[in-house]
Amino acid sequence: MLSIDQFYPQLNSPARIVVTMHQKPDGDAMGSALGLYHFLIAMGHEVTVISPTNWANFLDWMPGVDTVIDFEQQREKALGMIQAAHVIFCLDFNVLHRTKNMEQPLLAANCTKILIDHHEQPQEEAFTYGISNTAKSSTCEMVYDFIVDSGNLDKLTLPAAECLYTGVMTDTGSFRFPATSAGVHRMVATLKDLGLKHTRVHDNIYDNFLENRLRFIGYALVNRMEVMYEYNTALMYITRSDLQRYNIKTGDTEGLVNYLLTIQGIRFGALVIDREGERKWSFRSKGAFDVNKFAREHFNGGGHVNAAGGGSYDSLDANVARFKEVIKEYQHQLQ
Protein backbone atom coordinates (compact mmCIF):
# COMPACT_ATOMS: atom_id res chain seq x y z
CA MET A 1 0.00 0.00 0.00
CA LEU A 2 1.55 3.27 -1.15
CA SER A 3 1.28 6.49 0.83
CA ILE A 4 -1.96 8.31 0.10
CA ASP A 5 -0.20 11.56 -0.77
CA GLN A 6 1.05 9.87 -3.94
CA PHE A 7 -2.57 9.79 -5.13
CA TYR A 8 -3.16 13.55 -4.74
CA PRO A 9 -2.20 14.50 -8.35
CA GLN A 10 -4.88 12.14 -9.68
CA LEU A 11 -7.59 14.18 -7.98
CA ASN A 12 -7.34 16.67 -10.84
CA SER A 13 -8.29 14.10 -13.49
CA PRO A 14 -12.06 13.36 -13.65
CA ALA A 15 -12.81 9.71 -12.92
CA ARG A 16 -15.62 7.29 -12.07
CA ILE A 17 -15.31 6.82 -8.32
CA VAL A 18 -17.06 4.52 -5.85
CA VAL A 19 -16.98 5.30 -2.13
CA THR A 20 -17.86 2.57 0.34
CA MET A 21 -17.72 1.82 4.06
CA HIS A 22 -18.30 -1.00 6.55
CA GLN A 23 -21.61 -2.82 6.88
CA LYS A 24 -24.31 -1.26 9.09
CA PRO A 25 -22.58 2.13 8.78
CA ASP A 26 -22.55 4.41 11.81
CA GLY A 27 -22.18 8.19 11.88
CA ASP A 28 -18.47 8.10 11.10
CA ALA A 29 -18.78 5.62 8.25
CA MET A 30 -21.69 7.37 6.56
CA GLY A 31 -20.34 10.82 7.43
CA SER A 32 -16.91 10.16 5.95
CA ALA A 33 -18.39 8.55 2.82
CA LEU A 34 -20.82 11.40 2.15
CA GLY A 35 -18.30 14.08 3.13
CA LEU A 36 -15.85 12.63 0.61
CA TYR A 37 -18.68 12.28 -1.93
CA HIS A 38 -19.50 16.00 -1.82
CA PHE A 39 -15.82 16.92 -2.07
CA LEU A 40 -15.18 14.65 -5.05
CA ILE A 41 -18.28 15.96 -6.83
CA ALA A 42 -16.93 19.50 -6.34
CA MET A 43 -13.65 18.29 -7.89
CA GLY A 44 -15.51 17.21 -11.03
CA HIS A 45 -15.64 13.44 -10.53
CA GLU A 46 -18.54 11.04 -11.16
CA VAL A 47 -19.17 9.58 -7.71
CA THR A 48 -21.36 6.80 -6.30
CA VAL A 49 -21.60 5.86 -2.62
CA ILE A 50 -22.41 2.21 -1.91
CA SER A 51 -23.26 0.91 1.55
CA PRO A 52 -22.82 -2.84 2.06
CA THR A 53 -26.11 -2.96 3.99
CA ASN A 54 -28.90 -0.75 5.26
CA TRP A 55 -28.25 1.96 7.84
CA ALA A 56 -29.92 3.59 10.83
CA ASN A 57 -32.87 5.91 10.25
CA PHE A 58 -31.19 8.67 12.26
CA LEU A 59 -28.72 9.09 9.38
CA ASP A 60 -31.43 9.70 6.77
CA TRP A 61 -31.25 13.50 7.18
CA MET A 62 -27.66 13.68 5.91
CA PRO A 63 -27.03 15.62 2.69
CA GLY A 64 -26.65 13.13 -0.16
CA VAL A 65 -27.93 10.06 1.70
CA ASP A 66 -30.75 9.75 -0.83
CA THR A 67 -28.14 8.89 -3.49
CA VAL A 68 -26.53 6.04 -1.50
CA ILE A 69 -26.98 2.55 -2.96
CA ASP A 70 -27.73 -0.31 -0.56
CA PHE A 71 -25.72 -3.25 -1.92
CA GLU A 72 -28.10 -5.83 -0.48
CA GLN A 73 -31.15 -4.14 -1.98
CA GLN A 74 -29.65 -3.06 -5.33
CA ARG A 75 -27.00 -5.70 -5.91
CA GLU A 76 -26.87 -5.65 -9.72
CA LYS A 77 -26.69 -1.86 -9.90
CA ALA A 78 -23.98 -1.78 -7.24
CA LEU A 79 -21.95 -4.49 -8.95
CA GLY A 80 -22.09 -2.52 -12.21
CA MET A 81 -20.79 0.59 -10.46
CA ILE A 82 -17.95 -1.34 -8.81
CA GLN A 83 -16.92 -3.00 -12.08
CA ALA A 84 -16.96 0.32 -13.96
CA ALA A 85 -15.06 2.28 -11.32
CA HIS A 86 -11.64 3.77 -11.94
CA VAL A 87 -11.13 4.36 -8.20
CA ILE A 88 -12.72 2.85 -5.09
CA PHE A 89 -12.34 4.62 -1.74
CA CYS A 90 -12.73 2.31 1.28
CA LEU A 91 -13.54 4.20 4.45
CA ASP A 92 -13.74 3.36 8.16
CA PHE A 93 -12.81 -0.32 7.96
CA ASN A 94 -9.47 -2.09 8.07
CA VAL A 95 -10.26 -5.41 6.37
CA LEU A 96 -12.50 -6.13 3.40
CA HIS A 97 -14.63 -8.73 5.16
CA ARG A 98 -16.19 -5.87 7.14
CA THR A 99 -18.07 -5.03 3.94
CA LYS A 100 -19.92 -8.36 4.24
CA ASN A 101 -21.12 -9.51 0.78
CA MET A 102 -19.13 -6.78 -0.97
CA GLU A 103 -15.80 -8.37 -0.04
CA GLN A 104 -15.42 -10.54 -3.13
CA PRO A 105 -16.57 -7.88 -5.65
CA LEU A 106 -14.09 -5.43 -4.11
CA LEU A 107 -11.28 -7.96 -4.28
CA ALA A 108 -12.13 -8.68 -7.93
CA ALA A 109 -12.38 -5.03 -8.98
CA ASN A 110 -9.58 -4.12 -11.40
CA CYS A 111 -9.03 -0.52 -10.35
CA THR A 112 -7.22 1.73 -7.91
CA LYS A 113 -8.32 1.09 -4.32
CA ILE A 114 -7.70 3.61 -1.56
CA LEU A 115 -7.95 3.04 2.20
CA ILE A 116 -8.71 5.82 4.69
CA ASP A 117 -9.16 4.35 8.16
CA HIS A 118 -8.20 4.57 11.83
CA HIS A 119 -8.49 0.93 12.99
CA GLU A 120 -5.56 -1.31 13.88
CA GLN A 121 -3.98 -3.94 11.59
CA PRO A 122 -5.21 -2.87 8.13
CA GLN A 123 -5.29 -5.31 5.21
CA GLU A 124 -2.63 -3.32 3.37
CA GLU A 125 -2.14 -5.76 0.50
CA ALA A 126 -5.74 -5.11 -0.66
CA PHE A 127 -5.16 -1.42 -1.38
CA THR A 128 -3.16 0.59 -3.91
CA TYR A 129 -2.87 3.71 -1.77
CA GLY A 130 -3.91 4.41 1.76
CA ILE A 131 -3.50 5.79 5.21
CA SER A 132 -4.19 4.04 8.51
CA ASN A 133 -3.77 6.18 11.61
CA THR A 134 -5.06 4.84 14.91
CA ALA A 135 -4.31 8.15 16.64
CA LYS A 136 -7.05 9.90 14.67
CA SER A 137 -10.40 10.53 16.31
CA SER A 138 -12.44 9.37 13.34
CA THR A 139 -12.36 8.62 9.65
CA CYS A 140 -14.19 11.91 9.14
CA GLU A 141 -11.19 13.74 10.60
CA MET A 142 -8.97 11.80 8.19
CA VAL A 143 -11.13 12.70 5.18
CA TYR A 144 -10.90 16.34 6.27
CA ASP A 145 -7.09 15.97 6.45
CA PHE A 146 -7.14 14.37 2.98
CA ILE A 147 -8.98 17.40 1.59
CA VAL A 148 -6.67 19.90 3.32
CA ASP A 149 -3.40 18.07 2.62
CA SER A 150 -4.25 17.66 -1.07
CA GLY A 151 -4.53 21.46 -1.31
CA ASN A 152 -8.26 21.56 -1.97
CA LEU A 153 -9.79 23.09 1.13
CA ASP A 154 -11.57 25.59 -1.14
CA LYS A 155 -13.67 22.65 -2.45
CA LEU A 156 -15.06 21.87 1.01
CA THR A 157 -18.78 22.68 0.91
CA LEU A 158 -21.37 23.10 3.66
CA PRO A 159 -23.04 19.73 2.90
CA ALA A 160 -19.62 18.08 3.22
CA ALA A 161 -19.02 19.95 6.48
CA GLU A 162 -22.28 18.64 7.97
CA CYS A 163 -21.37 15.08 7.05
CA LEU A 164 -17.82 15.29 8.40
CA TYR A 165 -18.96 16.93 11.62
CA THR A 166 -21.40 14.06 12.14
CA GLY A 167 -18.63 11.48 12.18
CA VAL A 168 -16.14 13.37 14.29
CA MET A 169 -18.87 14.23 16.81
CA THR A 170 -20.15 10.67 17.16
CA ASP A 171 -16.76 8.93 17.21
CA THR A 172 -15.42 11.28 19.90
CA GLY A 173 -18.50 10.89 22.10
CA SER A 174 -19.35 14.55 21.50
CA PHE A 175 -15.65 15.47 21.95
CA ARG A 176 -15.06 13.83 25.33
CA PHE A 177 -12.87 10.85 24.31
CA PRO A 178 -9.04 11.10 24.54
CA ALA A 179 -8.60 11.13 20.75
CA THR A 180 -10.21 14.58 20.65
CA SER A 181 -7.07 16.51 19.81
CA ALA A 182 -6.51 20.22 19.33
CA GLY A 183 -6.59 19.43 15.61
CA VAL A 184 -10.15 18.15 15.95
CA HIS A 185 -11.24 21.45 17.46
CA ARG A 186 -9.44 23.39 14.73
CA MET A 187 -11.27 21.27 12.17
CA VAL A 188 -14.61 22.07 13.79
CA ALA A 189 -13.75 25.77 13.82
CA THR A 190 -13.12 25.63 10.07
CA LEU A 191 -16.44 23.85 9.54
CA LYS A 192 -18.19 26.50 11.63
CA ASP A 193 -16.61 29.21 9.51
CA LEU A 194 -18.19 27.53 6.48
CA GLY A 195 -21.59 27.99 8.06
CA LEU A 196 -22.06 24.71 9.92
CA LYS A 197 -25.02 24.74 12.33
CA HIS A 198 -23.86 22.13 14.80
CA THR A 199 -27.11 21.99 16.78
CA ARG A 200 -28.90 20.73 13.66
CA VAL A 201 -26.52 17.77 13.52
CA HIS A 202 -26.88 17.02 17.25
CA ASP A 203 -30.68 17.16 17.06
CA ASN A 204 -30.84 14.80 14.09
CA ILE A 205 -28.42 12.27 15.58
CA TYR A 206 -29.38 12.24 19.25
CA ASP A 207 -32.94 13.59 19.50
CA ASN A 208 -34.63 11.78 16.66
CA PHE A 209 -35.78 8.41 18.01
CA LEU A 210 -39.18 6.82 18.61
CA GLU A 211 -40.65 6.27 22.06
CA ASN A 212 -40.10 2.50 21.90
CA ARG A 213 -36.31 2.96 21.91
CA LEU A 214 -36.34 4.86 25.21
CA ARG A 215 -38.57 2.22 26.77
CA PHE A 216 -36.24 -0.49 25.44
CA ILE A 217 -33.21 1.19 27.01
CA GLY A 218 -35.02 1.40 30.36
CA TYR A 219 -35.97 -2.25 30.17
CA ALA A 220 -32.42 -3.28 29.27
CA LEU A 221 -30.87 -1.30 32.12
CA VAL A 222 -33.25 -2.82 34.67
CA ASN A 223 -33.40 -6.39 33.40
CA ARG A 224 -30.35 -7.12 31.24
CA MET A 225 -27.43 -5.50 33.05
CA GLU A 226 -25.02 -7.22 35.41
CA VAL A 227 -22.36 -5.34 37.34
CA MET A 228 -19.25 -7.25 38.38
CA TYR A 229 -17.53 -4.90 40.79
CA GLU A 230 -14.75 -7.37 41.50
CA TYR A 231 -13.65 -6.82 37.90
CA ASN A 232 -14.82 -3.18 37.59
CA THR A 233 -16.88 -4.50 34.67
CA ALA A 234 -20.49 -4.27 33.56
CA LEU A 235 -22.17 -6.63 31.12
CA MET A 236 -25.43 -6.25 29.21
CA TYR A 237 -27.07 -8.92 27.07
CA ILE A 238 -30.03 -8.39 24.74
CA THR A 239 -32.18 -11.33 23.63
CA ARG A 240 -33.92 -11.78 20.29
CA SER A 241 -37.27 -11.50 22.08
CA ASP A 242 -36.20 -8.13 23.55
CA LEU A 243 -35.53 -6.80 20.05
CA GLN A 244 -38.89 -8.06 18.82
CA ARG A 245 -40.84 -6.86 21.86
CA TYR A 246 -39.68 -3.25 21.36
CA ASN A 247 -39.51 -3.39 17.56
CA ILE A 248 -35.81 -2.49 17.58
CA LYS A 249 -34.40 -1.49 14.19
CA THR A 250 -30.90 -0.90 12.82
CA GLY A 251 -29.26 1.86 14.86
CA ASP A 252 -31.59 1.68 17.86
CA THR A 253 -28.92 -0.02 20.00
CA GLU A 254 -26.28 2.56 19.02
CA GLY A 255 -24.59 3.92 22.16
CA LEU A 256 -26.25 1.44 24.51
CA VAL A 257 -22.91 0.02 25.68
CA ASN A 258 -21.76 3.49 26.74
CA TYR A 259 -24.31 3.57 29.57
CA LEU A 260 -22.28 0.88 31.33
CA LEU A 261 -19.26 3.16 31.67
CA THR A 262 -21.32 5.82 33.44
CA ILE A 263 -21.34 3.64 36.59
CA GLN A 264 -18.84 4.85 39.15
CA GLY A 265 -15.70 2.69 39.15
CA ILE A 266 -16.58 0.70 36.02
CA ARG A 267 -13.66 0.53 33.57
CA PHE A 268 -14.95 -2.10 31.12
CA GLY A 269 -18.39 -2.32 29.54
CA ALA A 270 -19.55 -5.18 27.31
CA LEU A 271 -22.78 -5.57 25.36
CA VAL A 272 -23.88 -8.66 23.45
CA ILE A 273 -26.95 -8.69 21.21
CA ASP A 274 -28.65 -11.80 19.85
CA ARG A 275 -28.83 -10.74 16.21
CA GLU A 276 -30.26 -12.99 13.54
CA GLY A 277 -27.64 -15.60 12.72
CA GLU A 278 -24.91 -14.14 14.95
CA ARG A 279 -24.28 -12.70 18.38
CA LYS A 280 -22.71 -9.22 18.10
CA TRP A 281 -20.45 -7.77 20.80
CA SER A 282 -19.59 -4.16 21.61
CA PHE A 283 -16.78 -3.39 24.06
CA ARG A 284 -15.86 -0.06 25.67
CA SER A 285 -13.23 0.78 28.26
CA LYS A 286 -11.66 3.60 30.19
CA GLY A 287 -7.94 4.08 30.66
CA ALA A 288 -5.36 1.58 29.47
CA PHE A 289 -7.50 -1.56 29.28
CA ASP A 290 -7.23 -2.68 25.62
CA VAL A 291 -10.60 -3.90 24.37
CA ASN A 292 -9.19 -4.26 20.85
CA LYS A 293 -6.85 -6.98 22.12
CA PHE A 294 -9.62 -8.49 24.26
CA ALA A 295 -12.00 -8.68 21.28
CA ARG A 296 -9.37 -10.19 19.00
CA GLU A 297 -8.35 -12.87 21.48
CA HIS A 298 -11.80 -13.98 22.60
CA PHE A 299 -14.61 -12.82 20.28
CA ASN A 300 -13.28 -12.69 16.69
CA GLY A 301 -13.26 -8.91 16.70
CA GLY A 302 -11.14 -5.82 17.01
CA GLY A 303 -11.17 -2.06 16.77
CA HIS A 304 -9.52 0.51 19.02
CA VAL A 305 -7.95 0.42 22.47
CA ASN A 306 -11.08 1.81 24.13
CA ALA A 307 -13.77 0.78 21.62
CA ALA A 308 -14.07 -2.51 19.77
CA GLY A 309 -16.55 -5.07 18.52
CA GLY A 310 -16.78 -8.77 17.96
CA GLY A 311 -19.04 -11.60 16.89
CA SER A 312 -19.82 -15.23 17.58
CA TYR A 313 -22.09 -17.91 16.15
CA ASP A 314 -22.47 -19.58 19.56
CA SER A 315 -25.70 -19.10 21.48
CA LEU A 316 -26.34 -16.00 23.56
CA ASP A 317 -26.09 -18.03 26.78
CA ALA A 318 -22.78 -19.52 25.64
CA ASN A 319 -21.40 -16.06 24.84
CA VAL A 320 -22.38 -14.69 28.24
CA ALA A 321 -20.88 -17.72 29.98
CA ARG A 322 -17.64 -17.37 28.00
CA PHE A 323 -17.36 -13.68 28.85
CA LYS A 324 -17.82 -14.38 32.56
CA GLU A 325 -15.12 -17.01 32.39
CA VAL A 326 -12.48 -15.07 30.43
CA ILE A 327 -12.96 -11.84 32.40
CA LYS A 328 -11.37 -13.62 35.36
CA GLU A 329 -8.05 -13.53 33.50
CA TYR A 330 -8.08 -9.71 33.54
CA GLN A 331 -8.94 -8.96 37.14
CA HIS A 332 -5.54 -7.44 37.93
CA GLN A 333 -5.62 -5.27 34.79
CA LEU A 334 -9.01 -3.84 35.70
CA GLN A 335 -8.21 -2.85 39.27
Side-chain angles (χ1 to χ4, degrees), residues 170-200:
T170 53
D171 255 30
T172 61
S174 294
F175 309 101
R176 75 178 185 272
F177 296 155
T180 308
S181 65
V184 168
H185 290 290
R186 283 191 289 268
M187 167 188 168
V188 172
T190 299
L191 302 184
K192 290 287 291 179
D193 287 340
L194 279 173
L196 172 72
K197 306 295 184 185
H198 65 276
T199 54
R200 164 176 144 83

Side-chain angles (χ1 to χ4, degrees), residues 196-263:
L196 172 72
K197 306 295 184 185
H198 65 276
T199 54
R200 164 176 144 83
V201 180
H202 282 261
D203 288 346
N204 278 296
I205 294 295
Y206 295 123
D207 301 331
N208 198 23
F209 293 99
L210 298 177
E211 173 189 343
N212 66 294
R213 179 179 182 267
L214 191 59
R215 295 190 181 279
F216 163 72
I217 291 173
Y219 175 85
L221 291 171
V222 172
N223 298 284
R224 301 294 188 229
M225 182 177 72
E226 295 185 28
V227 182
M228 296 170 275
Y229 285 108
E230 66 272 34
Y231 307 112
N232 290 322
T233 294
L235 167 68
M236 182 179 288
Y237 55 92
I238 304 298
T239 69
R240 188 81 55 82
S241 62
D242 294 339
L243 300 176
Q244 295 169 345
R245 175 181 180 181
Y246 290 95
N247 193 30
I248 296 303
K249 306 295 185 184
T250 297
D252 285 344
T253 59
E254 185 81 17
L256 187 59
V257 66
N258 295 325
Y259 283 93
L260 304 177
L261 292 183
T262 67
I263 302 171

